[in-house]
Amino acid sequence: MIKYAGVIINNESSNVDKAFTYKIPEPMVDLVKLGLRVKVPFGRGNRIIDGFIIELFDNCENINNLKEISEICDDFTVIREQDIKLINIMREKYMCTYLDCIKLIMPTGITRGMKHKMTKVVSIKNSLTEKYDKEPYRSIFTIVENNNCKYTKNEISKKFNISISSINTLVKHEFLDYNIKVVDRYNERIYDRYEEKKLNIDQYEAINKIMTDKNNKFLIHGVTGSGKTEIYMKLVSMIIAEGKEAIMLVPEIALTPQMLERFKGRFGKNIAVFHSRLSDGERYDEWLRVKSGKVKVAVGARSALFLPFKNLGIIIIDEEHELSYKSDVTPKYNAIDVAIIKSEIEKCKLVLGSATPSIETYYKCKNGDIQLIEINNRADGAELPAVNIVDMREELLSNNRSMFSRELKESISTALERKEQIILFLNRRGHSTFVSCRKCGYVFKCDHCDIALTYHSDSKKLICHYCGDVRSLPSTCPQCKSHYVKYFGVGTEKIEGEVWKEFPNAKTLRMDYDTTRSKNSYENIYNIFKNGEADILIGTQMVAKGLDFKNVTLVGVIAADLSLNLPDYRANERTFQLINQVSGRAGRGSKKGKVIIQTYNPTSSSIIAASKNDYLGFYKEELQMRYLMDYPPFKKILLINLSSKYENLLIKNIQNVALLLKNMLQKNSNINILGPCPCSISKIKEMYRWQIIIKGDFDNKYACNIKKIVYDSIKTDYNNIRVSMDINPTSLL
Ligand code: ADP
Ligand code: ZN
Ligand code: ZN
């Protein structure tokens, strides 16, 4: 008989990161389950605190001083049994705590006692007596009769223009009553029906393979516009027909309006939406809707992967190469890897899709771990656009100092004349990148973060994009006192200004981090452009993804090199992906599209491969480089980052960490320790930053050992030094 439970305590401290054994009191024995949230006495003072049951057992060696569980919190489990397996794997893989993982799985509000939002609606209690069977009571009574339990008192008053006091009178004399009703906090908006398409042969074969193959993991490598979304939706409806459930991940909020239009238009209310902009309340409600089986499909950003479906049939991840699938906060998990593990635990299907799969995922296909499905044609028969590379150095030689090449200018005016739409793409945010002195080369940097400040023309201010510090723009150089202080580079605002100059009649729209910060702004911009109310959409990465506008025939990539020069081993891959994705926005309808890529680096192999839509060529070359340089997928990279307000303390400690790591790990010829050295961004928010990079062939257990060495070798209060560990990080800045 089960008598004891292993409980994870809801406490941040890493030294309580283990299951504590509690005795289950007699009356609770039949009620306890794995995954329940419970209250337990903890610590010397026996403070009552939340915990989560992740183990149950009949015997226990040391039963003398065991404390008892005090209370079961909810009438449902907050962690599913399958998730306990997943938590155990993730904790090792990402070197984090149980609680870090549990927090991904349960809605944040729950431990703060969040409940459903309730409201009091008006209902009928008794028929009107003769005395009250007159106006205004008679009409109020009829309204409530027709809308029983639908509206609150205030809503009735507003909607039907009725005085609150008359309603009160009817309640007082027990003709009307209040009922408590649960309010759904989720978005109730109804979308137009998105009709099913008749599948083409590529789509049909892809679906057939996924539904019948004995393997469970697939990658759809389909060119942009190949109709992957229609495949996803068909798969989802087939899985629902089997009585199972589906999770569909999309990269980030930027993709959601179009996806929602399609998914809600197809599946209606049967769908939960889960992303980072939900309030805790909305998040809680959506979580419960999934938990209670009210919805069968969830669409969302990476965190939707952890929603508590009972009988998950499929996980679909669109644009699987996107960096936003890697979490940048602890636990620093990669949703693709976690989805692979989850699909194995739950024996459900996993479908990854992309026009430019990540090198790691494609490599898994070549290894046979994932089944590859290739689609080389656009679904609606449209041709892929023609891609031209323009050498900007030659433009300068020909005395063209504008940020638009002659070819791009001509193409823009042709498209405008034909009333076709244009997307101009820039991999950068803000008005310009940095302000410098043209005479002595001095660059304005943030005092706190050691990175170049960005000039914003709206406010005429310099802003630090790491800590948010704002400064006004000085007119003289602090170093040489000259007046040649100017901003460098380009931003979306500057491009917009330039477009206005060259094409004063064109209507422009800007889509970047700054213009999409408020809640519905992305959707608004999307709709304006979709409805043809603007000619030119100017944007950052956001415009590169997934958007499907039929009337766009021209895409201009303003400076393809921007992403090539990042200090990151994925810089080539990022460049290939961005160019390919943004090119895929052109010529999606019946008109042939054209893409113009401007660069100072026209011989770069990733730019050339992207211009030819040659994924395989790019993949082969890139894989070779990864192999030679010991990068993933061949070797792992573990980034150990230490930060502190106290520079000397930080340096002393990280040197000590490195010394111990070198002593203990160097025997292993498969391991390489780089550093310690200051990070590229050597200071953020007054915190100095240093890093050690470990490159090599090691498993999860080994990584956990490394973590232990790191923590053991820090010789100061943990409050003074912050440690972060990241496996295969997305950036080494
Ligand atoms: P992807 O996600 O692969 O880039 P989409 O799913 O956006 O491509 O599809 C591209 C376009 O093709 C969309 O406008 C879509 O409506 C259309 N489409 C998809 N499947 C079909 C089909 N079977 N027949 C006709 N048009 C289709
Ligand atoms: Zn100067
Ligand atoms: Zn700063």
Side-chain angles (χ1 to χ4, degrees), residues 446 448-449 464 466-469:
C446 173
H448 315 290
C449 305
C464 169
Y466 278 87
C467 72
D469 209 27

Side-chain angles (χ1 to χ4, degrees), residues 448-449 642-646 650 681-690 719-722:
H448 315 290
C449 305
L642 266 61
S643 57
S644 169
K645 283 197 172 122
Y646 314 103
L650 174 70
I681 300 165
S682 61
K683 201 176 165 196
I684 294 181
K685 293 189 187 173
E686 303 294 348
M687 299 279 276
Y688 294 91
R689 307 168 75 234
W690 279 60
N719 291 331
N720 291 330
I721 289 191
R722 216 181 287 155

Side-chain angles (χ1 to χ4, degrees), residues 375-394:
I375 304 181
N376 294 315
N377 305 310
R378 282 189 158 177
D380 47 10
E383 272 177 78
L384 282 170
V387 182
N388 298 350
I389 301 174
V390 175
D391 185 347
M392 291 303 277
R393 295 171 307 184
E394 281 177 18

Side-chain angles (χ1 to χ4, degrees), residues 437 440 477 480 482:
C437 168
C440 77
C477 169
C480 74
S482 88

Side-chain angles (χ1 to χ4, degrees), residues 569 631-632 635-639 693-695 726-729:
Y569 73 88
Y631 284 131
K635 297 284 165 67
K636 280 186 192 167
I637 291 179
L638 169 57
L639 176 66
I693 293 171
I694 298 181
K695 216 156 74 165
D726 194 351
I727 280 279
N728 294 345

Side-chain angles (χ1 to χ4, degrees), residues 123-129 141 173-177:
S123 60
I124 300 281
K125 193 162 185 190
N126 294 307
S127 308
L128 290 178
T129 51
F141 194 84
H173 295 283
E174 302 203 335
F175 302 116
L176 297 182
D177 198 2

Side-chain angles (χ1 to χ4, degrees), residues 194 197-201 203 222-232 258-259 262 318-319 355 378-381 546-548 550 584-585 588:
Y194 186 71
K197 299 229 158 33
K198 190 174 170 335
L199 299 177
N200 63 34
I201 183 77
Q203 288 168 326
V223 295
T224 49
S226 55
K228 294 186 286 294
T229 313
E230 197 64 34
I231 297 178
Y232 304 149
Q258 177 174 300
M259 274 292 166
R262 293 184 180 180
D318 191 28
E319 311 279 6
R378 282 189 158 177
D380 47 10
L547 296 179
D548 184 21
K550 298 282 181 238
R585 303 312 119 214
R588 288 195 149 222

